[in-house]
């Protein structure tokens, strides 16, 4: 009896402890404790420390009694100007609309239902190959979301006049602002461009390159779910195009990575691929202290870059973590059967 108990305790401990050991393998490099120390949330957020969101704090409210769409509240907050953070509270609901956040000096926080990110769902499906005309009919019916003169108009209009909209315009949330915060929301297909973007206590869903861009951004306590409904049995979660001189791209910390059934059964998830949008892009990411479900393609946790460049993991013991001859995708202290 005592022995059985010991076996159970041992099993529990070994399941909870991370098996990820430095320096990892060619296909899956792992940071040492001393290497990991360099990659803090504060460094990714360039010194900004988002404060806790008070549930009663709302400069703008979206939903019953407030703005009817998120974009209108974002526009209003930007038009109001200033450098004081503005809080946009989104009431529970399914928001079939885009949220385009242009570069602005107004720091914004968009938050949903505290403790219940599933209640605030921002979802719309557009393919990157659509024409601008077809796209604008879907995302701006009757001109009800985007109007000339609005802060988000240039972003919208640039997409609407394209022959083919391309990746950024096909995102649901396209965030160009710096010091931008999202919390307690469910978002499908965001593209994050600004510097120091913080996403916490949220859920992000998508299928291919569904979190992408050159941002330095932190995803904390956030569930990442690869969706299978379009339909598919493979997925790529992150596609950073961090400039190779910039040390910090994406950080996923205390997150959960999982996938819907068809992808899970196929072990079809690639964690990351480099988005080689220009020769000076070499995406950077660290996934740490997270739970990774048995959904990962174990032969290729990291996929070839969008340019076709093969994944190249640096497992030299005295490695330079910025070395642009290698990919800069790292993991540290992850647990779960996919870690
Ligand atoms: C657009 O306007 C037409 C005509 O007024 C109306 O029938 C339709 O419901 C509107 N569509 C949306 C999405 O507002
Ligand atoms: C991740 O999953 C675990 C186990 O299902 C759960 O306890 C935890 O709350 C989840 N984390 C987040 C950020 O949702
Ligand atoms: C990454 O993508 C953005 C948006 O297209 C672009 O502005 C930036 O130059 C790209 N960065 C690199 C290093 O290619
Ligand atoms: C990595 O790059 C950053 C930013 O350019 C620099 O500050 C840092 O010293 C570099 N680290 C190494 C080990 O080269």
């Amino acid at each position: 009896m005592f022995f059985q108990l010991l076996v159970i305790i041992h099993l529990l401990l070994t399941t909870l402890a991370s098996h990820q050991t430095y320096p990892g393998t060619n296909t899956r490099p792992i940071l040492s404790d001393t290497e990991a120390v360099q990659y803090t949330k504060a460094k990714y957020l360039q010194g900004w420390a988002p404060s806790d969101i008070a549930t009663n704090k709302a400069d703008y409210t979206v939903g019953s009694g407030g703005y009817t769409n998120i974009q209108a509240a974002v526009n209003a907050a930007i038009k109001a100007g200033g450098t004081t953070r503005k809080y946009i509270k989104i009431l529970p609901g399914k928001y079939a609309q885009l949220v385009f956040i242009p570069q602005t000096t107004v720091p914004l926080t968009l938050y949903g239902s505290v403790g219940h990110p599933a209640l605030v769902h921002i979802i719309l499906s557009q393919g990157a190959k659509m024409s601008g005309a077809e796209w604008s009919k879907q995302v701006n019916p009757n001109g009800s979301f985007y109007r000339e003169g609005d802060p988000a108009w240039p972003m919208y209009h640039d997409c609407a006049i394209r022959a083919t909209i391309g990746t950024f315009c096909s995102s649901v949330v396209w965030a160009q602002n710096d010091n931008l915060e999202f919390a307690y929301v469910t978002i499908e297909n965001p593209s994050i461009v600004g510097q120091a973007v913080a996403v916490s206590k949220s859920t992000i869903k998508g299928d291919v390159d569904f979190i992408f861009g050159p941002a330095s951004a932190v995803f904390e306590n956030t569930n990442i779910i690869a969706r299978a409904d379009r339909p598919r049995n493979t997925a790529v979660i992150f596609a950073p195009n961090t400039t190779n001189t910039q040390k910090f791209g994406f950080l996923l910390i205390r997150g959960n990575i999982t996938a819907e059934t068809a992808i899970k059964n196929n072990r079809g998830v690639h964690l990351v691929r480099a988005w080689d949008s220009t020769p000076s892009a070499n995406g950077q990411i660290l996934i740490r202290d997270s739970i990774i479900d048995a959904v990962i393609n174990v032969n290729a946790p990291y996929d070839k870059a969008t340019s076709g460049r093969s994944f190249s993991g640096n497992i030299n013991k005295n490695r330079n973590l910025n070395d642009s001859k290698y990919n800069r995708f790292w993991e540290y202290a992850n647990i779960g059967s996919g870690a």
Side-chain angles (χ1 to χ4, degrees):
M1 181 65 193
F2 180 67
F3 177 72
Q4 278 159 334
L5 202 62
L6 277 185
V7 169
I8 289 169
I9 289 171
H10 177 77
L11 275 176
L12 273 175
L13 287 177
T14 47
T15 334
L16 290 175
S18 177
H19 298 286
Q20 300 200 309
T21 50
Y22 164 77
T25 63
N26 279 319
T27 53
R28 210 159 172 182
I30 306 294
L31 295 185
S32 68
D33 297 348
T34 31
E35 287 173 333
V37 171
Q38 302 175 43
Y39 292 91
T40 58
K41 184 178 153 184
K43 285 192 177 160
Y44 280 83
L45 295 183
Q46 305 173 5
W48 168 46
S51 51
D52 269 350
I53 291 165
T55 50
N56 56 358
K57 194 164 190 171
D59 300 304
Y60 304 87
T61 301
V62 183
S64 137
Y67 286 87
T68 50
N69 68 70
I70 304 168
Q71 188 68 61
V74 167
N75 289 343
I78 294 173
K79 276 186 186 157
T83 51
T84 310
R85 178 163 298 276
K86 296 202 164 49
Y87 291 82
I88 298 173
K89 178 178 184 161
I90 308 167
L91 296 176
K94 189 168 175 184
Y95 294 86
Q97 50 191 253
L98 304 182
V99 182
F100 279 7
I101 305 175
Q103 266 181 344
T104 153
T105 50
V106 184
L108 298 176
T109 293
L110 287 84
Y111 73 98
S113 255
V114 174
H116 304 282
L119 295 181
V120 172
H121 197 170
I122 309 170
I123 176 177
L124 207 59
S125 272
Q126 271 71 42
K129 295 188 176 124
M130 288 176 92
S131 73
E134 204 187 339
W135 172 86
S136 64
K137 244 187 259 166
Q138 287 187 17
V139 305
N140 198 25
N142 293 354
S144 44
F145 292 94
Y146 297 91
R147 288 191 200 94
E148 197 160 2
D150 287 344
W153 173 260
M155 288 174 83
Y156 163 80
H157 186 247
D158 178 52
C159 299
I161 59 177
R162 292 187 188 187
T164 310
I165 60 165
T167 33
F168 275 102
C169 302
S170 69
S171 350
V172 178
V173 172
W174 181 6
Q176 297 186 340
N177 202 6
D178 298 345
N179 297 312
L180 176 65
E181 182 180 25
F182 290 96
Y184 305 110
V185 287
T186 295
I187 307 178
E188 317 240 348
N189 286 40
S191 70
I192 318 275
V193 178
Q195 297 298 306
V197 174
V199 180
S200 67
K201 300 173 183 123
S202 292
T203 296
I204 301 177
K205 290 175 87 171
D207 45 35
V208 181
D209 301 342
F210 60 93
I211 305 174
F212 76 107
S216 65
V218 175
F219 304 88
E220 188 176 13
N221 289 311
T222 285
N223 285 313
I224 312 274
I225 305 171
R227 60 188 273 207
D229 59 316
R230 293 215 260 193
R232 46 187 309 127
N233 62 5
T234 61
V236 183
I237 300 174
F238 293 97
N241 77 324
T242 328
T243 306
N244 59 20
T245 53
Q246 181 180 322
K247 198 179 174 190
F248 303 103
F250 293 151
L251 172 66
L252 175 67
I253 182 163
R254 288 179 288 279
N256 275 355
I257 292 179
T258 188
E260 290 176 351
T261 312
I263 295 178
K264 187 171 183 157
N265 289 345
N266 186 40
R267 304 254 167 155
V269 172
H270 301 288
L271 292 168
V272 191
R273 66 170 170 172
W275 180 34
D276 286 352
S277 54
T278 68
S280 59
N282 188 26
Q284 195 282 332
I285 185 169
L286 168 60
I287 297 172
R288 63 174 297 173
D289 306 300
S290 294
I291 306 171
I292 304 179
D293 202 359
V295 297
I296 306 298
N297 178 330
V298 288
N299 298 319
Y302 300 104
D303 202 4
K304 286 197 287 281
T306 52
S307 59
R309 169 170 70 114
S310 296
F311 173 75
S312 174
N314 188 349
I315 52 165
N316 299 321
K317 290 264 180 178
N318 59 348
R319 59 196 169 194
N320 164 4
L321 298 169
N322 294 331
D323 194 335
S324 56
K325 291 194 296 294
Y326 297 92
N327 285 99
R328 300 184 295 169
F329 305 160
W330 313 104
E331 286 178 77
Y332 177 70
N334 295 312
I335 60 169
S337 28

